[in-house]
Amino acid sequence: MTETPNTRQTILDAGQALMLTSGFAGLGLSTLLKAAGVPKGSFYHWFESKEDFGRAAIEVYAEGYITRLDALIEGAGTGADKLDRFFGAWRSDAATAGLAERCLVVKLGAEVSDLSEAMRAAMDRGVQQFIGRLADLLGQGAEDGSLRTLADPLSEARRIYASLLGAAILTRISRNDAALCDATNDARARLKS
């Protein structure tokens, strides 16, 4: 097998999907390699260790997550419209799993924070980028008058993210999105202009 950047991405994609179901500690290297369809040497060509793979998987996941968020908030509409699109994306519908179901932070946050400093730091960088984008969106909404002006948009963005993260965990436990509905409705009520 020729080692290409696509091989690396294939391993990362397979690993992200497996981590959503089995976590990081429960992910065996042989299972990952089988799912990716690559030999063991390919893994060690691209990653020094399982931890290095985990860090890279989190970084790639965060980049993709930010790209999806940017697509939601760069479209047409007011800040409130964009926030509603963002909230809607957290929930599942009949056709797709919502962000809450596909969120590695929800699945791995507590696990990797205790397991690996490199993975924790990668996750934190992604979360901070996300919160920053959300704060910018709150500022846009205040500027266009669709959301109320906040003394500290970054603090509110952290509050929203923490609420959504907790609600996503409850959603996974209960297998219904009532907690996500409550969290988004609460945020909407606080942010109305």
Side-chain angles (χ1 to χ4, degrees):
M1 169 179 243
T2 303
E3 299 297 340
T4 68
N6 289 339
T7 303
R8 181 180 190 273
Q9 191 60 50
T10 298
I11 296 168
L12 290 168
D13 291 344
Q16 284 181 13
L18 290 168
M19 286 189 289
L20 282 171
T21 58
S22 62
F24 181 74
L27 176 61
L29 189 55
S30 61
T31 302
L32 172 59
L33 296 173
K34 184 176 179 180
V38 299
K40 193 173 190 177
S42 294
F43 179 85
Y44 287 109
H45 176 80
W46 292 106
F47 308 103
E48 293 177 12
S49 64
K50 183 180 171 187
E51 180 183 16
D52 183 48
F53 157 77
R55 178 206 43 79
I58 289 169
E59 287 173 350
V60 168
Y61 169 79
E63 290 167 11
Y65 195 94
I66 294 298
T67 298
R68 288 190 304 275
L69 175 61
D70 286 346
L72 287 170
I73 64 178
E74 288 175 358
T78 65
D81 295 335
K82 295 173 184 185
L83 189 64
D84 281 342
R85 283 197 301 266
F86 164 71
F87 286 153
W90 269 77
R91 296 174 55 200
S92 299
D93 61 32
T96 62
L99 295 176
E101 282 296 311
R102 300 178 313 217
C103 184
L104 279 181
V105 177
V106 169
K107 182 66 177 181
L108 302 179
E111 179 185 359
V112 303
S113 293
D114 294 336
L115 185 65
S116 165
E117 178 57 23
M119 291 172 66
R120 183 212 59 78
M123 189 172 288
D124 185 50
R125 285 189 300 274
V127 166
Q128 295 312 315
Q129 272 190 301
F130 174 85
I131 290 170
R133 293 289 206 296
L134 187 53
D136 291 345
L137 175 57
L138 298 177
Q140 289 174 23
E143 285 178 20
D144 69 29
S146 64
L147 298 173
R148 72 181 181 86
T149 301
L150 302 165
D152 187 356
L154 188 60
S155 178
E156 183 62 29
R158 276 192 299 270
R159 183 177 300 112
I160 291 169
Y161 184 72
S163 177
L164 289 174
L165 196 60
I169 292 168
L170 291 175
T171 294
R172 289 182 68 96
I173 292 168
S174 67
R175 299 280 185 229
N176 72 61
D177 67 356
L180 278 170
C181 290
D182 292 345
T184 56
N185 289 339
D186 179 61
R188 282 185 184 107
R190 283 196 324 271
L191 296 170
K192 280 186 182 174
S193 62

